[in-house]
Structures are given as C-alpha cells and as structure tokens.
Amino acid sequence: MMIIDAHSHVHDPVDAHVGLLDEAGVDRAVLFSTRPHPERAGDLASLRREMAILEEAIGGRVGSAEGHRRAWREWDAALAARPERFIGFLSVPLDLEPERIAATVEREVVGRGLHGIGELTPPPGRAAMIEPVLRAAADHGGLPVVVHGSAPTTAADVRTLSALAGRYPRVPLVVSQLGGTNWMEAVELVRDNSNMYLELSTANIVFAVRLAIKEIPDRTLFGSDAPYGDPVLARAMVERVTSPGEVRDRVLGGTIAELVGLA
C-alpha cells in the first residue's frame, strides 16, 4: 500500500522535506506552494516574520506579486527535482474573473498534468469565492479541490463549502486541517456530502481524529501540513486511533490515491 501525505508545503531545502517523508515511511506527498517558510526561522523574531506572511496568506490577502512568483518558482523546482515523491496541486488566484480562473485551470493544471487544485485560502466569511474554481474543476472531469479549513476559516465558511459541494457533485472537495476549531460541524457536513473529504492535519485533539475516521472512514485523509506539522507525528496519530486493516489503509493513502488517479 502506498502511504501518501495529503497536505504539505514546499520546504527549504527540498531534501529536508524528503528526509521527513523517509523518516515517516511516506511514499509520496501532495505538494502546495507557500510564501511563508517557518522552517527557515532560527529565532522568535524571524519566526514572527514568517508567520506574519502566513497570516496574510490564509486571511485571503493577495500579497506582493513577486512573493507569489517566488513561491511558484520554488514549487516548480521541488516538483521537477523529486517528481517521484511529490504530487502537484496548484493554488489558483481567487481574485481573478471567472473566465480567467477557467483558463488558468485549463492551462496550468490540466495542461501541465497536475493532479488537483489547492490549497485555496479565501478570506474569512467569503468561502463562496471558490465557486468559479469548482466550476472549472467540474468542467475537467472533477479535479479534486483543497480548501484551507483551520482559522481564520469560520463555521459559516464550512457551511458554505458544504452548500457549494452540493452544486458540484462531481468535484471532490477537501476541507483541510480537520476544519480547525469547527471540527465537529465539519465532520457532520463532510459525512453528509458524498463528494466532500476531510484532511486530518494539525489536529491537537486525539479523539477528534478518532471520531472523524469513525464517522467518515472512506473520506478522511492523513496529512501533516508540513512544515507546520510533522509527517511522523501525523501518521502516528492516525495509527494510534485505528487498527491495521482497510480503514487505516484508506486513511493513510488509499483514498487520496484514488482521488489523484494513482490507484
């Protein structure tokens, strides 16, 4: 069985990321681009600078064009350096007109043979901004779409994602980070929408992971959110709350492998 980390970001250096995957016994990882690099920080002051960039990104603020270009170059380089380890997902800008979003998905995702779209970070309270992306994903056979699920994503945003999933039933819609503090509602909404999935990274409550897997055994995904989380610890938590067998195998890689066409 292939073990796949369903949520990770570009590391500097890339070899450090591969080393973490090796240590965790992880075969491949879904790779998103990133502007912040907390793994570069050597002290609290430098970490604060990186986390300020993160706050800007997950708050849906655009940031500098050069910062985005640099992040995309790093992401491209990582995919090119280790294509056997990384599964590329592209984050599509949400502030574009719907026609440009559709063209970007066709050219940059489908045209490049990428596996999905994400991690999308709409501003809090504005999860509906992802609808043009879902429409474009549906037009190309149902590409999986990953949306940031932790703070500042709100409970209302999670409900909006659920409503959007109902409009685009061919699109696998993944809520990341177990929905953050809204995890109980996220579990309920994902459970009741057959094309929604819940990725389990950064959970700090063990029984939240246990309950999510119990309620949605075929649509929960092991992920680390590295470098913010650790693949070794994330995998250990899944294995702590599951028994060897089909459910554990699906969570640790089987389900995401199906979504990205590797199964």
Side-chain angles (χ1 to χ4, degrees):
M1 186 199 71
M2 187 180 297
I3 307 294
I4 301 176
D5 182 343
H7 188 134
S8 73
H9 297 271
V10 175
H11 284 42
D12 180 21
V14 172
D15 285 347
H17 190 179
V18 174
L20 289 175
L21 298 178
D22 289 343
E23 186 180 0
V26 173
D27 300 296
R28 302 192 70 173
V30 170
L31 191 68
F32 306 125
S33 63
T34 184
R35 285 187 288 141
H37 278 285
E39 75 280 6
R40 292 174 179 164
D43 54 31
L44 186 58
S46 57
L47 181 61
R48 285 188 184 278
R49 288 193 293 271
E50 297 297 336
M51 296 306 281
I53 300 171
L54 174 66
E55 184 178 354
E56 178 182 80
I58 63 177
R61 297 188 292 278
V62 174
S64 72
E66 176 53 32
H68 284 286
R69 285 193 292 267
R70 184 167 55 250
W72 291 331
R73 288 195 297 268
E74 292 174 344
W75 174 78
D76 270 328
L79 289 176
R82 301 305 297 264
E84 81 285 2
R85 301 305 293 273
F86 295 131
I87 300 166
F89 273 51
L90 181 72
S91 183
V92 177
L94 298 176
D95 58 340
L96 301 176
E97 298 86 356
E99 296 79 9
R100 290 186 63 192
I101 287 176
T104 300
V105 169
E106 182 171 7
R107 181 181 66 251
E108 300 294 341
V109 180
V110 179
R112 295 180 55 183
L114 298 176
H115 291 83
I117 302 169
E119 180 187 13
L120 302 180
T121 54
R126 300 182 64 191
M129 287 181 70
I130 76 162
E131 183 164 11
V133 179
L134 296 179
R135 187 179 306 121
D139 288 343
H140 292 283
L143 293 165
V145 176
V146 179
V147 183
H148 182 83
S150 189
T153 300
T154 68
D157 287 324
V158 179
R159 291 191 289 272
T160 296
L161 294 176
S162 174
L164 289 171
R167 295 180 203 166
Y168 299 92
R170 297 177 60 199
V171 177
L173 179 57
V174 181
V175 178
S176 68
Q177 295 118 351
L178 225 169
T181 58
N182 305 304
W183 66 269
M184 284 190 282
E185 186 163 11
V187 169
E188 291 175 337
L189 292 169
V190 171
R191 180 194 62 197
D192 296 338
N193 285 271
S194 62
N195 61 314
M196 290 187 76
Y197 295 75
L198 194 59
E199 185 268 312
L200 302 171
S201 65
T202 68
N204 57 8
I205 302 175
V206 175
F207 63 76
V209 177
R210 178 185 293 114
L211 182 62
I213 294 172
K214 181 179 179 181
E215 293 286 329
I216 327 163
D218 57 341
R219 287 183 285 119
T220 38
L221 309 174
F222 152 64
S224 69
D225 201 5
Y228 303 95
D230 187 293
V232 172
L233 299 179
R235 179 176 178 178
M237 186 175 291
V238 169
E239 292 180 339
R240 178 65 174 170
V241 301
T242 59
S243 300
E246 181 180 358
V247 169
R248 177 186 286 181
D249 290 350
R250 288 193 66 85
V251 175
L252 287 178
T255 297
I256 187 65
E258 290 175 358
L259 292 182
V260 300
L262 295 178

